Amino acid sequence: MKKLVHKRVVVPVLALTFLIVGSSFKSDFFEIAKQIEIFTTLFKELNMNYVDETNPAELMDTAIKNMLEDLDPYTKFLNEQDVESYRINNAGEYSGIGALVRTYKDRLLIVEPHQGYPADKAGLKAGDQIIQIGDIKVADFEDNASELLKGSEGSTVDIIYKRQGRINSTTIERGGIEVDAVPFYKMIDEKTGYIVLSKFNAKATEQTKSALLDLKGKGAEKIVLDLRDNPGGLLSEAINVTNLFVPKGELVVTTKSKVKKFNREYRTSNQPVDTEIPLVVLVNGSSASASEIVSGSLQDLDRAVIMGARSFGKGLVQRPLKLTYGTQLKVTISRYYTASGRCIQALDYWNRDENGNAIRNTQFNDFTTRNGRKVQDGGGVLPDIEIAAVKTNDLTMALLQNNVIFDYATDYYFSNKVADVDDFQFSNSDFNDFKAFVRESDFSFETKAEKAITEALSGPENDFLGQEVKDSYKTLLANIQKGKINALDKYQKEIQKNLEDEIIKRYFYRDGLYQYYLSHDDAILAASELLENSSKYNSILGNR
């Protein structure tokens, strides 16, 4: 009788649950079908009846992009060209000119030619502005003109470019380009190896493992793994790189989604290379995604000391889903959680402020590492040891984003000769030149205080304030502007590091920059010093 009562209670509950879920699914399905029908009829009527000729493909592209903008910046529609670029980025191989290029409306800017590749062989330099490719002027080309630089290996492309105000031309023979995940590794001293892991493409694990074994063969008993400026990449590579340093079967990351099949635990599945070698991992504000999985989980497992500056804070996982006509939707499918169970996503894209901007998380939850150390979620990976020169700030970011540091480096390169990377020195006199360059440029950025004051001054509703008050506001704005220029001195260390990095690349390419780091970079010097002090290293990790 007792069993019968139990069944009579449970069955209605299950039925009710099924009814709720079923009705919810039907409701969602009906709403989706309804909205698709509305959009389809609208799109048809618009194209048939609008007063001028319309371009259906452009209208649809705009509609899709605007729809996705309300979600997060990582959920994107990929057309056929985008799909190919996405594949190339993950594979690390393509055919082209071998240069990092930034696209503008009327020009392509060479940001960094890669040493020994076609653009470099043709004499192109960082700062060169490509204005014509073949017979096509970049300003007249509606799509991304950088696609015109790609082509089969051995084919040629004629370009016209502007350098320091002069118009030049050259012919580039395209070649096969290999994008290394590990562009540099070397011994810092007799016992410490240094590995730069710059991206998590399909070569990341293989090249990191090869570098690690080679360094160990050269006598490395300690390792510095540099993930600074690494934007991430393949999740599988993040797991496998972590696996080089931790045993088989360790939980590295968990993904959680509303779609059940995307809920997964990712554990190491291979035999490690070395689970004991002392390890320091370097991160900064541009270390994101897969970089944060590696650094965050090595921190959670107390396998490495993390040094540098707080990482970017991208705790979202994307997957490309195939659509029709060769297109794809790269969609955020889940959040990831490091070994301790924390999600380091910094921006909340689903709760925005009054201006529609994502809200930055400021309330952090505490978690514990394997040894019981406190770590937090919600704002990237916070290093165990922070390095001042690696940190960033609004002023430095504005100088970078507005190409002020880049443009100064271009002028510096064409005005100064540097014979050897070890001879390079950026003096206080040079920094004073940079400050003068900033003053003479059209560089400006608006602080929150300036924005608030400007809003307070504008609008007829503020007419009652009177001229005296308005003049005071204007004086305050002028003082803030003056303060921003003075802030160049306050943040000299951070700004100068970015200047040195950009200038050295002009003369000695990225390889020369990493060589310079070995004896000049604050984070690497601090990491080497820590690894020399085994008792301090172990005390940070809570090892007994």
Side-chain angles (χ1 to χ4, degrees):
M1 187 70 183
K2 190 175 181 181
K3 286 184 180 178
L4 183 61
V5 172
H6 177 72
K7 284 183 180 179
R8 290 169 69 183
V9 172
V10 172
V11 171
V13 171
L14 289 175
L16 180 61
T17 303
F18 179 78
L19 180 64
I20 292 170
V21 172
S23 63
S24 173
F25 173 77
K26 286 179 180 176
S27 175
D28 287 347
F29 183 80
F30 172 75
E31 188 61 32
I32 291 170
K34 173 186 170 184
Q35 296 305 325
I36 289 174
E37 187 176 353
I38 290 171
F39 181 79
T40 303
T41 53
L42 180 149
F43 191 62
K44 183 177 73 172
E45 295 297 336
L46 180 66
N47 281 284
M48 286 174 61
N49 298 301
Y50 189 69
V51 63
D52 292 322
E53 285 297 318
T54 59
N55 185 319
E58 286 184 4
L59 282 174
M60 182 59 75
D61 193 57
T62 302
I64 291 172
K65 287 178 179 176
N66 277 282
M67 175 175 66
L68 298 181
E69 274 181 8
D70 279 348
L71 302 176
D72 64 72
Y74 313 111
T75 297
K76 292 182 178 179
F77 171 70
L78 306 178
N79 60 30
E80 296 95 325
Q81 287 181 342
D82 296 330
V83 170
E84 179 62 12
S85 297
Y86 185 74
R87 185 196 66 77
I88 288 170
N89 188 50
N90 286 334
E93 296 177 359
Y94 69 99
S95 179
I97 69 167
L100 182 62
V101 177
R102 188 175 297 143
T103 304
Y104 293 90
K105 199 170 186 178
D106 59 344
R107 69 196 188 283
L108 298 177
L109 179 69
I110 300 292
V111 175
E112 183 182 352
H114 302 310
Q115 187 174 11
Y117 281 116
D120 181 39
K121 289 178 179 177
L124 290 182
K125 302 292 183 184
D128 290 347
Q129 300 176 35
I130 298 176
I131 56 177
Q132 186 169 323
I133 303 169
D135 296 328
I136 300 172
K137 291 184 178 179
V138 175
D140 297 336
F141 195 71
E142 293 184 358
D143 295 324
N144 185 348
S146 65
E147 294 295 323
L148 299 173
L149 298 174
K150 296 177 183 177
S152 59
E153 188 172 352
S155 63
T156 60
V157 58
D158 297 323
I159 67 164
I160 295 175
Y161 64 96
K162 185 188 291 186
R163 174 186 294 171
Q164 299 282 283
R166 286 186 171 186
I167 301 297
N168 304 278
S169 63
T170 189
T171 299
I172 306 175
E173 182 178 332
R174 299 181 180 97
I177 313 298
E178 293 193 15
V179 182
D180 287 328
V182 176
F184 183 89
Y185 70 91
K186 197 168 185 177
M187 296 293 288
I188 298 174
D189 54 44
E190 290 182 355
K191 294 185 178 181
T192 310
Y194 172 65
I195 302 172
V196 179
L197 178 53
S198 63
K199 51 179 57 67
F200 284 88
N201 61 20
K203 301 178 180 182
T205 305
E206 174 195 344
Q207 291 187 346
T208 306
K209 181 178 180 179
S210 177
L212 179 59
L213 289 171
D214 192 26
L215 291 171
K216 282 168 64 71
K218 291 175 178 174
E221 298 175 5
K222 297 161 280 188
I223 293 292
V224 178
L225 178 63
D226 197 340
L227 296 180
R228 288 177 296 178
D229 299 319
N230 184 325
L234 299 171
L235 175 62
S236 58
E237 291 298 309
I239 311 301
N240 292 332
V241 166
T242 306
N243 195 174
L244 298 175
F245 302 100
V246 302
K248 182 178 180 179
E250 285 281 8
L251 176 65
V252 176
V253 66
T254 303
T255 57
K256 297 180 182 179
S257 169
K258 72 173 185 180
V259 181
K260 192 175 181 181
K261 67 178 180 179
F262 296 144
N263 293 336
R264 285 192 59 184
E265 286 187 347
Y266 292 87
R267 295 180 179 272
T268 52
S269 57
N270 305 311
Q271 292 301 322
V273 172
D274 195 324
T275 61
E276 300 294 331
I277 192 167
L279 177 65
V280 169
V281 177
L282 304 180
V283 297
N284 65 6
S286 296
S287 305
S289 193
S291 295
E292 296 172 299
I293 290 174
V294 172
S295 57
S297 289
L298 288 174
Q299 185 180 50
D300 289 352
L301 296 169
D302 296 304
R303 180 60 189 88
V305 172
I306 312 302
M307 297 180 70
R310 187 186 287 276
S311 65
F312 181 81
K314 179 179 181 286
L316 304 174
V317 182
Q318 287 72 46
R319 173 172 291 190
L321 303 176
K322 290 184 179 179
L323 306 176
T324 54
Y325 298 103
T327 62
Q328 292 184 6
L329 173 65
K330 184 163 74 76
V331 60
T332 298
I333 59 167
S334 57
R335 291 179 176 83
Y336 73 74
Y337 299 79
T338 61
S340 67
R342 55 181 169 147
C343 181
I344 49 77
Q345 177 63 26
L347 293 173
D348 184 353
Y349 295 104
W350 297 270
N351 293 291
R352 298 176 181 254
D353 62 22
E354 62 275 8
N355 296 316
N357 298 316
I359 297 171
R360 182 167 291 277
N361 291 322
T362 55
Q363 299 295 318
F364 303 143
N365 299 304
D366 293 342
F367 293 80
T368 54
T369 68
R370 176 163 288 175
N371 289 341
R373 297 186 298 138
K374 187 178 85 169
V375 289
Q376 293 184 316
D377 66 359
V381 175
L382 182 66
D384 302 304
I385 297 176
E386 294 188 86
I387 308 296
V390 181
K391 292 182 180 180
T392 191
N393 51 73
D394 289 344
L395 177 59
T396 307
M397 287 302 296
L399 290 167
L400 288 167
Q401 290 167 358
N402 287 275
N403 274 4
V404 180
I405 287 174
F406 182 88
D407 290 342
Y408 178 81
T410 301
D411 286 355
Y412 186 99
Y413 172 76
F414 288 110
S415 303
N416 298 273
K417 289 185 178 181
V418 181
D420 189 274
V421 67
D422 293 324
D423 294 336
F424 175 75
Q425 189 173 19
F426 195 81
S427 64
N428 283 331
S429 174
D430 290 326
F431 192 75
N432 286 331
D433 288 342
F434 172 70
K435 288 194 294 184
F437 181 85
V438 175
R439 289 190 191 96
E440 292 166 11
S441 72
D442 57 0
F443 167 70
S444 66
F445 79 103
E446 189 176 48
T447 65
K448 290 180 181 178
E450 284 177 296
K451 190 174 181 180
I453 293 169
T454 302
E455 287 177 357
L457 279 172
S458 62
E461 67 275 12
N462 295 318
D463 286 345
F464 72 91
L465 291 174
Q467 193 58 45
E468 189 176 340
V469 173
K470 289 183 178 181
D471 288 343
S472 298
Y473 271 137
K474 288 175 182 176
T475 302
L476 183 56
L477 283 171
N479 288 334
I480 291 174
Q481 187 64 30
K482 193 182 297 181
K484 284 190 291 189
I485 295 297
N486 294 336
L488 292 169
D489 288 321
K490 179 181 178 181
Y491 296 115
Q492 178 175 348
K493 200 164 190 177
E494 296 94 321
I495 294 168
Q496 186 164 319
K497 174 176 169 44
N498 284 282
L499 283 165
E500 289 172 347
D501 287 0
E502 192 60 52
I503 291 169
I504 289 170
K505 282 189 295 183
R506 303 303 176 94
Y507 293 97
F508 309 107
Y509 303 90
R510 194 163 285 271
D511 200 67
L513 176 62
Y514 294 133
Q515 184 66 45
Y516 180 80
Y517 276 176
L518 296 182
S519 55
H520 292 83
D521 184 78
D522 285 0
I524 294 174
L525 294 175
S528 300
E529 185 180 337
L530 174 65
L531 288 168
E532 282 292 314
N533 189 338
S534 59
S535 60
K536 184 177 180 181
Y537 173 87
N538 285 310
S539 69
I540 291 171
L541 293 177
N543 294 331
R544 295 178 182 176

